[in-house]
Amino acid sequence: RLFEVDEPISGSFSVVSRYLSTGYLWDVVRVLNGAYGANSYFYNTEGILIFMSYRDPNDLSTTLAAYDGVEPQLHKDARTTLAAPNSIDLTRAIIGAIGRHDGSAPSTEEIGWISLMRFLGNESPELRQRYRTPILETRADHFEEFAQSLGGLSPTICAVTSKAKLDDFNKQGGPQLKTILSV
């Protein structure tokens, strides 16, 4: 959890999450380390950030080391690539975050469900716009702010993996993971 429940959360952080999914995590976890996929999900209503890989051939420590590299990479990118005037990387991340927030045009049957969920969640058009506006106004310094929030974080680690990989990880002397479900 990056933020407490009542703490205000900027929509710009969903841009950072999208940027990580299509940039650093894709490049390092997917391309360099060979996982089939890698993503970052930021749940703005809960203040929770999730890094995820799937069909990952690496041991847990390799993937977790890649996740540890997120903070310094964000600091670096915020001062270089993202700070450039008319940064295409920043623009792509903003478009991706808006797409994730708004989704594609819903079908007529989906409109009813979406309306019901927004009503039950007390999610007004004004509330959605208050979240959307910071997405569109995201700047490189928001990436710095996000990176700073990662500093000193004690993450919760959840791994869906084989018993052998879990045992190997636990023998390395890092944080000890326990089995919560075995099939």
Side-chain angles (χ1 to χ4, degrees):
R1 180 177 295 274
L2 282 180
F3 302 96
E4 294 306 316
V5 175
D6 293 335
E7 196 172 349
I9 299 170
S10 172
S12 64
F13 292 160
S14 64
V15 177
V16 179
S17 178
R18 185 67 181 165
Y19 176 79
L20 289 170
S21 289
T22 58
Y24 175 80
L25 293 176
W26 178 267
D27 293 342
V28 175
V29 178
R30 165 91 168 84
V31 176
L32 293 176
N33 293 349
Y36 187 75
N39 287 295
S40 169
Y41 295 101
F42 181 68
Y43 295 92
N44 61 301
T45 53
E46 293 88 10
I48 294 174
L49 174 68
I50 296 173
F51 295 150
M52 183 203 76
S53 71
Y54 52 98
R55 293 183 62 189
D56 191 337
N58 297 292
D59 59 32
L60 293 173
S61 58
T62 300
T63 303
L64 293 174
Y67 297 158
D68 287 342
V70 165
E71 180 189 357
Q73 187 66 45
L74 282 177
H75 284 298
K76 177 182 173 228
D77 290 353
R79 294 178 185 127
T80 57
T81 310
L82 299 166
N86 301 316
S87 168
I88 191 72
D89 292 324
L90 180 57
T91 301
R92 284 184 184 142
I94 290 169
I95 291 169
I98 285 291
R100 190 181 271 181
H101 178 65
D102 290 344
S104 57
S107 68
T108 43
E109 49 183 59
E110 291 172 322
I111 290 172
W113 178 255
I114 292 168
S115 296
L116 174 64
M117 297 312 296
R118 288 180 181 165
F119 174 77
L120 293 174
N122 202 24
E123 189 178 319
S124 68
E126 295 80 19
L127 178 66
R128 291 182 56 74
Q129 188 59 46
R130 278 198 309 271
Y131 190 74
R132 186 182 291 113
T133 298
I135 291 174
L136 296 170
E137 295 174 348
T138 300
R139 299 177 315 274
D141 59 309
H142 293 115
F143 286 73
E144 279 282 356
E145 184 182 342
F146 190 90
Q148 288 172 359
S149 69
L150 294 175
L153 188 65
S154 297
T156 300
I157 300 170
C158 174
V160 178
T161 189
S162 68
K163 181 170 177 12
K165 280 191 175 186
L166 180 66
D167 290 344
D168 287 346
F169 178 79
N170 283 335
K171 289 176 188 171
Q172 294 176 12
Q176 294 295 295
L177 303 182
K178 62 182 178 181
T179 302
I180 57 171
L181 175 66
S182 181
V183 290

